[in-house]
Amino acid sequence: MTSVSLRLPDDVVKRLDILAARTGRTKTFYMTQAICQQLEDLEDLYDAEQAWLAYKSGADQALPIEEVMESLGMEPTPRK
């Protein structure tokens, strides 16, 4: 595991201290959890943006929802 230096605002450090004390976990645990979750969200956003750009440029095509559901073995929901 690699060590990383991080500067945080005092109020964030105080919140981490309180949370760590209340739960018996380390500040490192919570910082790692927060970074991992944010990275996952950013990766998802990047993938969605790339898919949208591919669609807009004509490099990729959209499929009807019924076709997607069928390919996943799902029953289409009747439209109202």
Side-chain angles (χ1 to χ4, degrees):
M1 197 174 284
T2 302
S3 177
V4 176
S5 177
L6 178 65
R7 291 184 184 270
L8 295 172
D10 292 339
D11 63 316
V12 173
V13 174
K14 184 176 182 179
R15 290 172 63 193
L16 278 168
D17 286 334
I18 292 168
L19 182 60
R22 287 176 56 193
T23 62
R25 299 243 188 210
T26 64
K27 291 189 291 187
T28 299
F29 171 82
Y30 288 111
M31 288 186 285
T32 301
Q33 292 293 313
I35 290 169
C36 288
Q37 180 61 51
Q38 184 64 22
L39 275 176
E40 189 174 311
D41 291 347
L42 289 170
E43 290 164 343
D44 289 346
L45 176 62
Y46 177 78
D47 289 343
E49 287 174 341
Q50 294 305 305
W52 173 246
L53 291 173
Y55 171 74
K56 273 181 54 175
S57 73
D60 207 352
Q61 294 181 339
L63 298 174
I65 188 66
E66 293 82 9
E67 192 174 322
V68 172
M69 292 179 74
E70 183 179 324
S71 74
L72 297 171
M74 300 170 67
E75 296 278 333
T77 306
R79 292 186 182 195
K80 295 179 182 179

